[in-house]
Amino acid sequence: MYVMKRSACISLLSAIFLFLGTNAWTYAAETPEPISPKKVVAFVIDDFGNNMAGTEEMLALPVPLTVAVMPFMPSTKQDAELAHQKGHDVFVHMPMEPNKGKKSWLGPGAITADLSDEEIKSRVQKAIDDVPHAIGMNNHMGSKITANEHIMRIILGVVKERGLIYLDSKTTDKSVAIKLAKEMGVPYAENQIFLDDVYSVPHISQQMEKICKRMNTMPMTVAIGHVGPPGKKTASVLRQYIPRLQKEAEFITISKLVRQPLH
């Protein structure tokens, strides 16, 4: 097979561009490169907004993240602004009632099953307004609410009206959020793995190994970690694994993930 020398190739290209004129150079510059088939991984970090441990360490990680910020908390606006400045996605981490646990754990403005339809809608709208730069929402706790089709229709209706993405944190296998999001035309994503449901470095490392293994067969992975009790540990393990993961996958935000053709 004949292989053209580099210098000859450059000369030929130059001649072609001279013949075609400057528009050819413009076309070459603006033609997008083909999308890489590289696998993708999206890390979502929950529980920002309350000056939680690990906040600084998470926001210092050298990869794009999706930062889920609880509304109506002491550092809600500060954390959302800083995350946005660093180029991360900002999501509303919407507190929702779980099947087990105290309502007092949820924080202000939570969605509970005893609320009227109008109050649910109002609380979701106010929460979105309270988190600067929010482009999506995911549930904080919420095993009771995300399994309730009537309430999730109201929540997703507001999400759609406001042009947001919905991420199902998947705190219960009975969640109807993704089914309804598809039906209602709401951009969506779904958590596949929790990094730090046990607050120990060995467990978090084990979960990261599961992600590495998953990438052998799956084109994309969504994982959720937290600031707060496990925050510093999770940030440390994540930082350690970043170089390894980057060999196999691209780190992306949830907003970019929902635009991927593989989703």
Side-chain angles (χ1 to χ4, degrees):
M1 181 184 292
Y2 175 73
V3 180
M4 184 181 291
K5 290 185 178 180
R6 184 171 181 273
S7 58
C9 181
I10 292 172
S11 297
L12 178 59
L13 285 172
S14 298
I16 291 171
F17 280 123
L18 284 172
F19 175 76
L20 292 175
T22 57
N23 287 339
W25 288 106
T26 302
Y27 176 78
E30 294 179 352
T31 302
E33 295 183 2
I35 297 174
S36 170
K38 193 172 185 180
K39 296 172 183 179
V40 297
V41 59
F43 284 96
V44 181
I45 308 300
D46 285 352
D47 294 348
F48 284 87
N50 198 27
N51 293 309
M52 300 295 270
T55 293
E56 183 177 345
E57 290 85 351
M58 286 293 188
L59 293 179
L61 292 173
V63 291
L65 301 170
T66 298
V67 173
V69 184
M70 295 187 69
F72 316 116
M73 301 296 275
S75 65
T76 293
K77 290 178 170 52
Q78 173 185 311
D79 291 353
E81 289 286 356
L82 186 56
H84 177 70
Q85 290 171 16
K86 289 178 174 290
H88 302 310
D89 276 1
V90 176
F91 275 34
V92 179
H93 194 38
M94 189 74 210
M96 302 183 192
E97 185 179 358
N99 285 315
K100 297 179 181 180
K102 300 177 181 178
K103 289 184 180 179
S104 60
W105 296 348
L106 290 169
I111 303 301
T112 56
D114 58 354
L115 298 175
S116 69
D117 291 1
E118 284 304 314
E119 181 63 18
I120 291 169
K121 185 174 182 179
S122 174
R123 289 192 180 196
V124 176
Q125 291 171 333
K126 288 176 181 176
I128 294 169
D129 291 338
D130 196 62
V131 179
H133 311 293
I135 61 171
M137 176 181 290
N138 72 331
N139 51 290
H140 170 63
M141 303 176 75
S143 55
K144 185 173 186 176
I145 300 301
T146 57
N148 185 310
E149 185 165 330
H150 177 74
I151 295 176
M152 285 309 300
R153 280 190 184 279
I154 299 170
I155 293 170
L156 289 171
V158 177
V159 169
K160 183 175 183 178
E161 287 173 5
R162 301 295 286 268
L164 304 186
I165 300 161
Y166 189 80
L167 168 67
D168 187 359
S169 299
K170 204 65 177 175
T171 55
T172 174
D173 290 337
K174 296 180 180 179
S175 173
V176 297
I178 298 304
K179 176 179 80 77
L180 293 178
K182 291 177 182 178
E183 177 187 317
M184 297 171 68
V186 176
Y188 67 89
E190 183 176 21
N191 175 43
Q192 277 110 31
I193 188 166
F194 283 104
L195 297 177
D196 46 17
D197 45 330
V198 176
Y199 303 165
S200 73
V201 169
H203 177 77
I204 298 165
S205 299
Q206 182 181 26
Q207 298 301 87
M208 292 298 296
E209 288 294 332
K210 288 181 181 179
I211 291 173
C212 292
K213 184 176 181 180
R214 176 184 166 85
M215 287 194 303
N216 291 331
T217 57
M218 302 298 290
M220 67 94 176
T221 300
V222 177
I224 290 181
H226 299 80
V227 292
K232 290 180 182 291
K233 295 174 183 177
T234 303
S236 176
V237 173
L238 253 174
R239 182 176 287 277
Q240 177 185 339
Y241 271 82
I242 284 171
R244 178 175 167 186
L245 289 172
Q246 285 178 323
K247 292 179 181 178
E248 301 293 333
E250 177 188 0
F251 282 76
I252 63 173
T253 60
I254 293 296
S255 64
K256 187 172 181 181
L257 177 70
V258 300
R259 296 193 295 268
Q260 293 283 325
L262 53 83
H263 180 65

